[in-house]
Amino acid sequence: MAASPIDRFRLDGKVAIVTGASSGLGVAFATGLAAAGCDLALGARRVERLDETRERVEALGRACIAVPTDVASPQDCQTLVEECVERFGRVDVLVNNAGVGSAGPATREAPEDFRRVLEVNLFGAYWMAQACGRAMEPGSAIVNVGSIVGERNLGVPQAAYASSKAAIVALTRDLAAQWTGRRGIRVNALAPGVFSSEMTDQLSAETVKGLEARIPIGRLGGPEELVSALLFLAADASSYVSGTVLTVDGGLLAA
């Protein structure tokens, strides 16, 4: 009997890796996937906070491991995938969420700061996808977390961050072209608008107010609204979707 439309959003028996899982949207993604039925392998640099996320996942009745990971290190990425496979025997979903922000005039941005943003946001996403691509079976899904900043300037000077997120779109489409037909691995991206997170907490109240005024819905997004979109891309509900960018921005790009 074919699964019902609602059942196609379930992830029971699946195993997911979430990077950047020690805070913010990473925590929301991890707990959302657990609630949908996933066991999880979590990666992040902040070990104590990563363990807190692991405890939240386990409180939902799912198995979980926490692996200290700096996604800028290809070896760390490979280790995270290997430990996931050793513990669970498989990896079905990768959420490439790890990222760092930047904001400041381009004339004053230090080379090492620009490089670090690209190393984490772009290179790290590639190293993780590469390691998972070697281990994933047909029917698996990769979700890269981009940003509408990769498509539109929001008035905040952040050349490194915007560059990294624009590149995520090209990376997503190239990997989808390589892997969807040959390997059965779907690759898509989320493009969040302005959400309440550690990154937006660094913005001034005046900047946030100005951004809210530009969003047709009139407010910042809530983590649960992005989690719903993630579950769609991770689950069989999107089995005919690959190489696309799902924008979740309260209508901002359309304004």
Side-chain angles (χ1 to χ4, degrees), residues 95-255:
V95 182
N96 256 328
N97 170 70
V100 294
S102 68
T107 53
R108 297 205 296 268
E109 189 162 35
E112 58 271 21
D113 293 337
F114 192 96
R115 289 193 187 98
R116 180 59 182 172
V117 172
L118 271 291
E119 285 172 354
V120 174
N121 295 5
L122 176 59
F123 298 174
Y126 182 60
W127 306 141
M128 280 303 310
Q130 186 180 63
C132 283
R134 296 177 181 131
M136 284 176 156
E137 297 293 332
S140 300
I142 294 173
V143 182
N144 296 320
V145 180
S147 170
I148 63 166
V149 172
E151 184 171 345
R152 173 178 293 184
N153 184 281
L154 298 183
V156 179
Q158 44 187 345
Y161 185 75
S163 298
S164 71
K165 294 306 184 179
I168 282 291
V169 175
L171 177 65
T172 297
R173 290 174 176 157
D174 187 87
L175 294 180
Q178 289 193 51
W179 292 347
T180 303
R182 292 177 56 195
R183 304 179 62 87
I185 300 171
R186 295 183 299 104
V187 187
N188 292 291
L190 280 176
V194 188
F195 280 75
S196 299
S197 68
E198 285 190 351
M199 288 189 185
T200 55
D201 288 344
Q202 298 172 21
L203 302 176
S204 68
E206 182 180 0
T207 298
V208 172
K209 186 175 180 181
L211 289 170
E212 287 178 330
R214 296 174 60 182
I215 301 170
I217 288 182
R219 58 174 174 81
L220 302 189
E224 69 285 352
E225 293 171 305
L226 198 56
V227 170
S228 298
L230 170 72
L231 294 180
F232 168 68
L233 293 178
D236 287 343
S238 62
S239 59
Y240 202 60
V241 179
S242 192
T244 195
V245 179
L246 177 55
T247 301
V248 187
D249 68 348
L252 182 54
L253 281 185

Side-chain angles (χ1 to χ4, degrees), residues 31-80:
T31 53
L33 288 164
C38 271
D39 293 326
L40 284 118
L42 309 176
R45 290 178 296 158
R46 292 178 289 185
V47 179
E48 290 184 3
R49 297 189 66 178
L50 190 61
D51 281 334
E52 292 175 5
T53 309
R54 176 183 54 77
E55 291 171 359
R56 292 190 184 194
V57 169
E58 291 174 342
L60 292 169
R62 307 311 312 172
C64 184
I65 60 171
V67 182
T69 306
D70 180 352
V71 296
S73 163
Q75 184 55 58
D76 276 15
C77 295
Q78 186 63 39
T79 297
L80 174 56

Side-chain angles (χ1 to χ4, degrees), residues 11 13-17 38-41 84 88-94:
L11 289 160
K14 302 289 188 180
V15 176
I17 292 176
C38 271
D39 293 326
L40 284 118
C84 178
F88 298 111
R90 58 193 295 166
V91 52
D92 303 292
V93 177
L94 166 64

